[in-house]
Amino acid sequence: MVPGNRPIVLIGPMAVGKSAIGHELAKRLGVPFVDTDVQIVDAHGSIASIFAGRGEHSFREIEARTVAAAVERAADTVSVISLGGGAVLDSGTQQILAGCTVVYLECDEATVASRIARNSGRPLLAGDAMARWATLFATRKPVYERLADLVLDVRHGSISELGHRLEVALREYSNAKQEVEK
């Protein structure tokens, strides 16, 4: 059993594996998976083009609306939702996440360095990508930690292994929560 009738939302920095691990977890649980970044791209074009054409503020507004709609559609169900790295900065999004089981995918620079080196299409990482990532992570980490119901260290393990560890952690969390509610 996993935390019942609540969406499971994965948060964490860029390139930590929220999409891949989220997809794996949803497959293991037999529930829907939603990647809000994919929804944004499908509806509005690439994230880089939104940043270039309309700016970060417009992107964040689109992102907040997309997250709110995804969580609303998933309300009262178990589903897995992956958020973009900066989505948690919006105060409205933070309030919406109170109705979800929030999992922070924890990592360090070494975990994401090769992924960031392969993907130059992240507008917030223009220039010295790793230095920018480290600065963004330092700012966002306290928010990730504060919002998290569970923390999954993703420094080691394959996507399959991490999906399994998260599934086990969610079951333990659900069982502990049910014990408290008795």
Side-chain angles (χ1 to χ4, degrees):
M1 170 154 235
V2 295
N5 299 331
R6 293 169 64 104
I8 300 163
V9 177
L10 304 185
I11 63 172
M14 286 182 269
V16 74
K18 295 179 299 286
S19 298
I21 295 167
H23 188 269
E24 176 68 20
L25 177 65
K27 185 174 74 173
R28 288 176 169 278
L29 298 176
V31 300
F33 172 67
V34 175
D35 183 326
T36 58
D37 279 351
V38 169
Q39 289 187 326
I40 291 167
V41 169
D42 288 349
H44 302 278
S46 78
I47 292 170
S49 69
I50 297 169
F51 266 78
R54 300 191 239 171
E56 183 176 1
H57 181 74
S58 289
F59 171 77
R60 294 294 174 206
E61 288 177 346
I62 291 166
E63 183 177 51
R65 286 193 306 270
T66 302
V67 170
V71 170
E72 185 178 314
R73 279 190 304 275
D76 301 323
T77 68
V78 177
S79 57
V80 179
I81 303 170
S82 167
L83 303 190
V88 298
L89 300 177
D90 180 77
S91 61
T93 296
Q94 292 178 22
Q95 291 173 359
I96 288 167
L97 294 181
C100 303
T101 299
V102 179
V103 179
Y104 164 38
L105 302 185
E106 182 182 48
C107 70
D108 56 19
E109 288 181 51
T111 308
V112 300
S114 65
R115 295 178 204 158
I116 288 172
R118 288 192 308 264
N119 182 352
S120 61
R122 298 177 189 268
L124 287 177
L125 299 183
D128 183 345
M130 284 313 301
R132 293 280 302 137
W133 185 92
T135 300
L136 290 169
F137 181 56
T139 303
R140 296 171 179 179
K141 183 178 180 185
V143 180
Y144 298 142
E145 292 173 337
R146 179 173 50 82
L147 294 174
D149 295 303
L150 286 170
V151 177
L152 179 70
D153 183 338
V154 299
R155 288 176 186 95
H156 306 286
S158 67
I159 296 301
S160 180
E161 291 165 342
L162 292 167
H164 174 72
R165 284 193 356 232
L166 182 50
E167 180 183 13
V168 169
L170 283 162
R171 290 183 196 287
E172 290 171 356
Y173 173 77
S174 179
N175 291 338
K177 196 168 179 175
Q178 287 177 354
E179 285 299 315
V180 169
E181 292 171 357
K182 285 184 181 177

